Amino acid sequence: MSTKIRECVRKISGGKDLEKALPEYLELSRDIHDSHARLKFMMEYYIFYEMISEGINPYIETAKDIADALHHSVRILMDPETDPAGEEYKKQGEILYSLRQEVTGRMQVLTAYVDKFVIYEYILNRMQYRFEDRETQADDNVFAQEVLQFIFSTKDNMAINDNIRMVLGQLPMRMTRRHYFDLIRESISVYKGSDKSALDGHLYMFRTNAMLYHTPDMEKYFTEFIPVIEEFEKLDYEKMDGELYQIYAEKLRINASKLNDISDLYMLIQKLINGMYSLFLAKCGAEAGEKYPAAELVIRGINDLFLHEESSIWQEAKENSLETEEEKLYWLGEHFPEIEGKQERVYEAMTVADAVLDETMNARREMITQLGLEEDFVSLQQLVDLSSGSDFVELRKPEEQKVTAQMAEEAAEKLVEELKQAFKGQSRLVRRAVMANTLEKIPVFFSTPQEVADYISQSLVLCDDEAEKYASKQLINDMMG
């Protein structure tokens, strides 16, 4: 597989026999992506059934509508009789795309709640040592030097910036709001000339971390978290005693755990939808299933178990007198050794094919158009996106536009105004938590190591809350290892 795709890539890179090489590249790449998606889906679908049948995740009912629709699509698309060129096949592709968008929407709701709890966790963490014993720590100057050594312990600028951001998120926040707003404006100005989608992504991330993001779906899904959030919003953190602290620290832990379980469920469902949508895009049909009979058997078998139906794959199982779902699941699991080592070989070939896709689509655009392959290459790009590891990547991207200076300025002022309104009436602890949580997410704004050193020293010196300072040092020490 790797040898064939390498030969094809060499032809395209050298501009040789493009009329044959481009269609061959498409066919080989789709076949490779089909194999990758098929083997991965086999494992993830099996795990999903185990999770559901064993009741490991108690929140499956929240996604039952999506899961049922997915199982129906799997049924049709994995049927050897289904024609990849037929209308039913196309219909299932649209259904899968809609399911993917639905899961993305629900995950945005979950993310908004998670980020709200992160803010309240930040506050409670810094209150912890009002009520618990404190041990001796390094004084501020010594501690600042230790942090600086940690930050600049590498020569890798990217790693240095990551270290700075991590420390920023934990140091006591004593920055003026004016300076904070100026930093936000600067962070958005760097997007001038960039694709608008990049700016939109940054603004979405910032708003969720600042508790500004809201969607109508928050009134439809996971509404059990709304009254909990409202409780945390109404707390007077300045006057909180030890007993109340313990109550809300436990409430935070319980709800954060629930959100984590629900998020895990939807992440797995999105992976499954991505896998089946990849098989839809590849359009390799029944012949692809014959290459990996174990994967075909397990996927269709799990689908039968979900739908409580039986397809032709159970003939061998009947000969073994398998009756219960547990026995059937065990029998399906025995076929996994048949794919050992195959995923690694497929991934190697996929890496070779994907590495040249962008260059091929740009450099050979004219020939691709002449051959009428534009749509096929768009589908291949979507296959690459789906295998990238970003489960919520946007597949049908609008035509890009560049961010102008005016667009960046307007976006910055709008965001600053939203923050100003949100900060009105908020306790200083909530404001500081939001500022710390968002500063950690923007590009590093220091020009020299001395500026970093000054910021660390100043944040410690200006912090007159010993419990907060102690907690910050503890968190940073844990982070530094």
Side-chain angles (χ1 to χ4, degrees), residues 12 21-23 25-26 30 357 360-361 364 368 373-383:
I12 292 173
L22 287 170
Y25 171 76
L26 267 174
R30 284 195 296 214
L357 178 59
T360 299
M361 291 180 72
R364 310 301 176 191
I368 288 171
L373 300 175
E374 302 103 316
E375 191 175 325
D376 292 315
F377 269 94
V378 169
S379 293
L380 181 56
Q381 181 63 65
Q382 291 177 336
L383 281 166

mmCIF file of all heavy atoms in Angstrom, residues 12 21-23 25-26 30 357 360-361 364 368 373-383:
data_model
loop_
_atom_site.group_PDB
_atom_site.id
_atom_site.type_symbol
_atom_site.label_atom_id
_atom_site.label_comp_id
_atom_site.label_asym_id
_atom_site.label_seq_id
_atom_site.Cartn_x
_atom_site.Cartn_y
_atom_site.Cartn_z
ATOM 1 N N ILE A 12 3.085 12.744 -9.444
ATOM 2 C CA ILE A 12 2.391 14.025 -9.337
ATOM 3 C C ILE A 12 3.380 15.143 -9.030
ATOM 4 O O ILE A 12 3.317 16.232 -9.612
ATOM 5 C CB ILE A 12 1.296 13.952 -8.249
ATOM 6 C CG1 ILE A 12 0.184 12.998 -8.701
ATOM 7 C CG2 ILE A 12 0.713 15.325 -7.967
ATOM 8 C CD1 ILE A 12 -0.857 12.714 -7.635
ATOM 9 N N ALA A 21 -2.207 9.917 -13.130
ATOM 10 C CA ALA A 21 -1.692 9.935 -11.756
ATOM 11 C C ALA A 21 -2.680 10.559 -10.772
ATOM 12 O O ALA A 21 -2.824 10.078 -9.642
ATOM 13 C CB ALA A 21 -0.361 10.686 -11.704
ATOM 14 N N LEU A 22 -3.383 11.625 -11.176
ATOM 15 C CA LEU A 22 -4.309 12.282 -10.247
ATOM 16 C C LEU A 22 -5.503 11.389 -9.881
ATOM 17 O O LEU A 22 -5.822 11.251 -8.692
ATOM 18 C CB LEU A 22 -4.776 13.621 -10.827
ATOM 19 C CG LEU A 22 -3.728 14.738 -10.809
ATOM 20 C CD1 LEU A 22 -4.192 15.939 -11.616
ATOM 21 C CD2 LEU A 22 -3.411 15.160 -9.373
ATOM 22 N N PRO A 23 -6.179 10.770 -10.862
ATOM 23 C CA PRO A 23 -7.253 9.835 -10.487
ATOM 24 C C PRO A 23 -6.746 8.652 -9.668
ATOM 25 O O PRO A 23 -7.433 8.179 -8.758
ATOM 26 C CB PRO A 23 -7.808 9.360 -11.838
ATOM 27 C CG PRO A 23 -7.445 10.443 -12.803
ATOM 28 C CD PRO A 23 -6.122 10.969 -12.313
ATOM 29 N N TYR A 25 -4.154 8.711 -7.629
ATOM 30 C CA TYR A 25 -3.904 9.236 -6.278
ATOM 31 C C TYR A 25 -5.202 9.306 -5.481
ATOM 32 O O TYR A 25 -5.246 8.936 -4.298
ATOM 33 C CB TYR A 25 -3.262 10.614 -6.389
ATOM 34 C CG TYR A 25 -3.149 11.357 -5.078
ATOM 35 C CD1 TYR A 25 -2.170 11.019 -4.144
ATOM 36 C CD2 TYR A 25 -4.033 12.391 -4.758
ATOM 37 C CE1 TYR A 25 -2.068 11.701 -2.931
ATOM 38 C CE2 TYR A 25 -3.941 13.072 -3.556
ATOM 39 C CZ TYR A 25 -2.956 12.725 -2.644
ATOM 40 O OH TYR A 25 -2.866 13.391 -1.448
ATOM 41 N N LEU A 26 -6.247 9.783 -6.113
ATOM 42 C CA LEU A 26 -7.549 9.851 -5.452
ATOM 43 C C LEU A 26 -8.023 8.472 -5.014
ATOM 44 O O LEU A 26 -8.448 8.275 -3.869
ATOM 45 C CB LEU A 26 -8.591 10.459 -6.402
ATOM 46 C CG LEU A 26 -8.826 11.955 -6.352
ATOM 47 C CD1 LEU A 26 -9.783 12.357 -7.464
ATOM 48 C CD2 LEU A 26 -9.388 12.377 -4.997
ATOM 49 N N ARG A 30 -8.365 7.417 -1.101
ATOM 50 C CA ARG A 30 -9.675 7.074 -0.537
ATOM 51 C C ARG A 30 -9.669 5.653 0.032
ATOM 52 O O ARG A 30 -10.261 5.396 1.079
ATOM 53 C CB ARG A 30 -10.760 7.223 -1.610
ATOM 54 C CG ARG A 30 -11.123 8.659 -1.881
ATOM 55 C CD ARG A 30 -12.413 8.802 -2.643
ATOM 56 N NE ARG A 30 -12.364 8.229 -3.978
ATOM 57 C CZ ARG A 30 -13.017 8.720 -5.023
ATOM 58 N NH1 ARG A 30 -13.783 9.783 -4.890
ATOM 59 N NH2 ARG A 30 -12.921 8.159 -6.210
ATOM 60 N N LEU A 357 -1.360 16.492 -0.148
ATOM 61 C CA LEU A 357 -2.688 16.848 -0.651
ATOM 62 C C LEU A 357 -2.816 18.345 -0.912
ATOM 63 O O LEU A 357 -3.251 18.766 -1.993
ATOM 64 C CB LEU A 357 -3.775 16.386 0.317
ATOM 65 C CG LEU A 357 -5.203 16.763 -0.096
ATOM 66 C CD1 LEU A 357 -5.550 16.162 -1.458
ATOM 67 C CD2 LEU A 357 -6.207 16.319 0.959
ATOM 68 N N THR A 360 -0.805 19.430 -3.862
ATOM 69 C CA THR A 360 -1.382 18.899 -5.097
ATOM 70 C C THR A 360 -2.604 19.706 -5.513
ATOM 71 O O THR A 360 -2.764 20.057 -6.692
ATOM 72 C CB THR A 360 -1.770 17.423 -4.917
ATOM 73 O OG1 THR A 360 -0.605 16.656 -4.607
ATOM 74 C CG2 THR A 360 -2.423 16.865 -6.180
ATOM 75 N N MET A 361 -3.475 20.029 -4.561
ATOM 76 C CA MET A 361 -4.691 20.778 -4.883
ATOM 77 C C MET A 361 -4.373 22.188 -5.360
ATOM 78 O O MET A 361 -5.111 22.750 -6.181
ATOM 79 C CB MET A 361 -5.613 20.820 -3.662
ATOM 80 C CG MET A 361 -6.222 19.475 -3.325
ATOM 81 S SD MET A 361 -7.311 19.519 -1.875
ATOM 82 C CE MET A 361 -8.734 20.411 -2.519
ATOM 83 N N ARG A 364 -1.783 21.642 -8.868
ATOM 84 C CA ARG A 364 -2.405 20.927 -9.998
ATOM 85 C C ARG A 364 -3.882 21.289 -10.151
ATOM 86 O O ARG A 364 -4.662 20.521 -10.699
ATOM 87 C CB ARG A 364 -2.262 19.406 -9.802
ATOM 88 C CG ARG A 364 -0.857 18.927 -9.481
ATOM 89 C CD ARG A 364 0.135 19.308 -10.559
ATOM 90 N NE ARG A 364 1.500 18.926 -10.193
ATOM 91 C CZ ARG A 364 2.577 19.332 -10.855
ATOM 92 N NH1 ARG A 364 2.452 20.136 -11.904
ATOM 93 N NH2 ARG A 364 3.781 18.947 -10.467
ATOM 94 N N ILE A 368 -6.812 19.314 -12.246
ATOM 95 C CA ILE A 368 -7.903 18.729 -11.456
ATOM 96 C C ILE A 368 -9.249 19.195 -12.007
ATOM 97 O O ILE A 368 -10.197 18.412 -12.142
ATOM 98 C CB ILE A 368 -7.756 19.118 -9.968
ATOM 99 C CG1 ILE A 368 -6.587 18.361 -9.338
ATOM 100 C CG2 ILE A 368 -9.038 18.822 -9.191
ATOM 101 C CD1 ILE A 368 -6.222 18.824 -7.937
ATOM 102 N N LEU A 373 -12.403 16.628 -11.283
ATOM 103 C CA LEU A 373 -12.157 15.950 -10.010
ATOM 104 C C LEU A 373 -12.250 16.879 -8.795
ATOM 105 O O LEU A 373 -11.872 16.484 -7.688
ATOM 106 C CB LEU A 373 -10.763 15.298 -10.034
ATOM 107 C CG LEU A 373 -10.522 14.236 -11.118
ATOM 108 C CD1 LEU A 373 -9.066 13.772 -11.079
ATOM 109 C CD2 LEU A 373 -11.463 13.052 -10.945
ATOM 110 N N GLU A 374 -12.755 18.111 -9.002
ATOM 111 C CA GLU A 374 -12.777 19.072 -7.890
ATOM 112 C C GLU A 374 -13.538 18.519 -6.688
ATOM 113 O O GLU A 374 -13.068 18.585 -5.543
ATOM 114 C CB GLU A 374 -13.422 20.407 -8.314
ATOM 115 C CG GLU A 374 -12.740 21.076 -9.485
ATOM 116 C CD GLU A 374 -13.525 20.875 -10.766
ATOM 117 O OE1 GLU A 374 -13.986 19.733 -11.010
ATOM 118 O OE2 GLU A 374 -13.688 21.857 -11.501
ATOM 119 N N GLU A 375 -14.732 18.003 -6.937
ATOM 120 C CA GLU A 375 -15.569 17.506 -5.842
ATOM 121 C C GLU A 375 -14.902 16.344 -5.116
ATOM 122 O O GLU A 375 -14.976 16.234 -3.889
ATOM 123 C CB GLU A 375 -16.930 17.073 -6.393
ATOM 124 C CG GLU A 375 -17.958 16.783 -5.321
ATOM 125 C CD GLU A 375 -19.329 16.484 -5.889
ATOM 126 O OE1 GLU A 375 -19.692 17.081 -6.919
ATOM 127 O OE2 GLU A 375 -20.036 15.625 -5.303
ATOM 128 N N ASP A 376 -14.241 15.478 -5.892
ATOM 129 C CA ASP A 376 -13.561 14.328 -5.283
ATOM 130 C C ASP A 376 -12.411 14.777 -4.386
ATOM 131 O O ASP A 376 -12.189 14.209 -3.313
ATOM 132 C CB ASP A 376 -13.020 13.389 -6.367
ATOM 133 C CG ASP A 376 -14.137 12.701 -7.128
ATOM 134 O OD1 ASP A 376 -15.082 12.221 -6.481
ATOM 135 O OD2 ASP A 376 -14.073 12.666 -8.366
ATOM 136 N N PHE A 377 -11.689 15.808 -4.818
ATOM 137 C CA PHE A 377 -10.584 16.298 -3.992
ATOM 138 C C PHE A 377 -11.090 17.013 -2.743
ATOM 139 O O PHE A 377 -10.461 16.945 -1.685
ATOM 140 C CB PHE A 377 -9.671 17.220 -4.816
ATOM 141 C CG PHE A 377 -8.535 16.491 -5.479
ATOM 142 C CD1 PHE A 377 -8.647 16.034 -6.789
ATOM 143 C CD2 PHE A 377 -7.358 16.234 -4.790
ATOM 144 C CE1 PHE A 377 -7.611 15.341 -7.403
ATOM 145 C CE2 PHE A 377 -6.319 15.544 -5.376
ATOM 146 C CZ PHE A 377 -6.441 15.092 -6.693
ATOM 147 N N VAL A 378 -12.225 17.687 -2.840
ATOM 148 C CA VAL A 378 -12.828 18.299 -1.649
ATOM 149 C C VAL A 378 -13.194 17.221 -0.640
ATOM 150 O O VAL A 378 -12.962 17.355 0.565
ATOM 151 C CB VAL A 378 -14.064 19.142 -2.029
ATOM 152 C CG1 VAL A 378 -14.842 19.546 -0.770
ATOM 153 C CG2 VAL A 378 -13.644 20.384 -2.793
ATOM 154 N N SER A 379 -13.773 16.112 -1.141
ATOM 155 C CA SER A 379 -14.118 14.994 -0.255
ATOM 156 C C SER A 379 -12.871 14.397 0.389
ATOM 157 O O SER A 379 -12.882 14.037 1.574
ATOM 158 C CB SER A 379 -14.866 13.902 -1.033
ATOM 159 O OG SER A 379 -16.124 14.361 -1.455
ATOM 160 N N LEU A 380 -11.796 14.322 -0.391
ATOM 161 C CA LEU A 380 -10.548 13.785 0.159
ATOM 162 C C LEU A 380 -10.005 14.715 1.240
ATOM 163 O O LEU A 380 -9.505 14.252 2.276
ATOM 164 C CB LEU A 380 -9.519 13.604 -0.956
ATOM 165 C CG LEU A 380 -8.158 13.022 -0.530
ATOM 166 C CD1 LEU A 380 -8.329 11.685 0.178
ATOM 167 C CD2 LEU A 380 -7.233 12.887 -1.730
ATOM 168 N N GLN A 381 -10.124 16.032 1.033
ATOM 169 C CA GLN A 381 -9.682 16.979 2.053
ATOM 170 C C GLN A 381 -10.482 16.795 3.336
ATOM 171 O O GLN A 381 -9.944 16.873 4.449
ATOM 172 C CB GLN A 381 -9.846 18.416 1.546
ATOM 173 C CG GLN A 381 -9.397 19.479 2.538
ATOM 174 C CD GLN A 381 -7.924 19.404 2.859
ATOM 175 O OE1 GLN A 381 -7.087 19.621 1.987
ATOM 176 N NE2 GLN A 381 -7.578 19.074 4.104
ATOM 177 N N GLN A 382 -11.776 16.515 3.201
ATOM 178 C CA GLN A 382 -12.612 16.263 4.373
ATOM 179 C C GLN A 382 -12.177 14.973 5.077
ATOM 180 O O GLN A 382 -12.176 14.910 6.315
ATOM 181 C CB GLN A 382 -14.079 16.173 3.957
ATOM 182 C CG GLN A 382 -14.661 17.503 3.509
ATOM 183 C CD GLN A 382 -16.101 17.388 3.034
ATOM 184 O OE1 GLN A 382 -16.551 16.317 2.616
ATOM 185 N NE2 GLN A 382 -16.824 18.492 3.088
ATOM 186 N N LEU A 383 -11.803 13.975 4.309
ATOM 187 C CA LEU A 383 -11.294 12.735 4.909
ATOM 188 C C LEU A 383 -10.024 13.002 5.715
ATOM 189 O O LEU A 383 -9.845 12.458 6.807
ATOM 190 C CB LEU A 383 -11.012 11.694 3.821
ATOM 191 C CG LEU A 383 -12.212 10.940 3.269
ATOM 192 C CD1 LEU A 383 -11.862 10.204 1.975
ATOM 193 C CD2 LEU A 383 -12.742 9.951 4.300
#
